[in-house]
Amino acid sequence: ELLRIAAPSVVTMTSYTAMQFVDAKMVSMIGPEPVYVAAQGNGGMMTWVPIAMVMGLLGVINTYVSQNLGAGRPERGAAYAWNALWIAAVAGVAMQAYALVLPWLFARMNHTPEVQALETTYATILVRGAILTLATRAIAHYFYGMHRPAVVMLAALVGNVANFLMNVLLVFGSHGPPHGFPLAGVFASVAGALGIAPMGIAGSAIATVWGTAVELSIPLSVFLSARWDRVYRTRRAWRLSAAHVRDIVRIGWPGALMFGSEMICWGYFTVRLAGGFGPAHNTATWIALRYMHMSFMPALGISFAMTAIVGRCMGMGRPDLAARRAWTGIGLTMVYMGTCALVWVVFRRPLIAFFLDKGMPAAEYAEILRVGSAVMIVGAVFQVFDALGITMVGALRGAGDTVWPGVLTVILSWTCLIGGGKLAVYLAPGLGSIGPWIGAAVYIILLGLVLFYRFLKGGWKEIELLEQAEGADEGAAGEGAALGAGAVLDSRGD
């Protein structure tokens, strides 16, 4: 059961990682200067600070939808999906003001003028398309909760193909990608026929927005289809509902606080602490993070599956079954991330070198390779603990236990990630960016262990989330017909 739900989720999150990986590789091919990968990473991090806060809030859609599915009332989930889309729309519009202050924020990062200009351009374009990103995540959590992750997987794969094609056309334009790139001549010819000039890092950002739009169109089409509406009443729940919004905010605000705080801390960490020792350390940090995302994102897919599975079990009134599924998820995630850690240690130097242009100065090449290899070793140390924390967050969220993990994450991220990182810079400046990374390792290890302790205590088994939901009464009317159709559809597994 876990693999049936988790496998599509893992493929989805892996595809996102692959997209980020390819994007970083493409911008590294713009020129021999190492600034492009760092600028893209810094710009993306600053973009995700406000987006992550809203995404943390919307993650509980999975919880409400899965618990209602387990309770035999799947049609009630549609209203939560619609109100998540309303929240995404309002937040996306509000974020346009954030785009206006990005130049001011990057001007205070103490980066070189070239990096500052590139990262500001990249981040501004992504923020302009934030409404698409948030809407995509909102509807994805609905399908996770309905135990239909394959819909999200298909959308992500198609969206990533669109992103890849647009990346090649927009980044390199009519000049075409470098020699040796597959079908380089074809891409150059198509771009020339369309009159596309090379756009560099700005083209990468635009391609991401276009890919996200393509990705959103697929689950939205399924959600609004006549067949899905006939079974789950998805077209009839479109109105903004204060009760459903209150439900989302009531257990979602800790997630918003947790994700937002973590992104602020990680943003400061990568841009100012680890990235504050010069371009070589900044670039090495972002290259290492690309590989960490390859470990983290599939694990996050398992976490989403854990939320859906635990939520459904809790809706069925089976916390014992939810606990057994959570243990299975822990084992799966720890084996995967532990394997990643082993690969990083053994192949750390060639992994870092993959993103480096052989044409850059030899001293700079060697320094990035040295720092990046050391960061990979530190990252390997905390992988299994990260697996523990990621899985526990998903399982506890499925039960509706969000406040304690959210507050804990905020406390530990500011004390260990920021406080510990600053302390390392002050006490051991000779370590360079490795000092802050040691603080990051302490943060992730402590977070994983404490969340695991929370799970073992078992207080989450007593939460009665659906009985507290204000939006439940609004969705109760006329549920009989939908229940019958829903049972038929669920039994067929369509």
Side-chain angles (χ1 to χ4, degrees), residues 17-58:
T17 305
M19 180 181 70
Q20 295 170 353
F21 197 86
V22 170
D23 286 358
K25 179 60 178 176
M26 284 192 186
V27 299
S28 74
M29 298 164 66
I30 295 175
E33 301 86 357
V35 297
Y36 298 103
V37 174
Q40 184 192 52
N42 295 337
M45 181 63 76
M46 291 298 288
T47 299
W48 278 95
V49 170
I51 290 177
M53 295 181 67
V54 184
M55 286 177 61
L57 179 69
L58 300 182

Side-chain angles (χ1 to χ4, degrees), residues 54 57-58 81-95 130-139:
V54 184
L57 179 69
L58 300 182
W82 272 110
N83 282 276
L85 290 172
W86 279 111
I87 293 172
V90 172
V93 172
M95 283 181 197
I131 188 171
L132 298 173
T133 304
L134 293 172
T136 302
R137 298 282 73 76
I139 201 69

Side-chain angles (χ1 to χ4, degrees), residues 303-327:
S303 180
F304 290 160
M306 290 309 310
T307 298
I309 292 171
V310 170
R312 186 174 187 179
C313 291
M314 294 297 288
M316 294 165 57
R318 291 291 307 278
D320 59 320
L321 186 60
R324 291 204 296 272
R325 295 296 183 269
W327 277 107

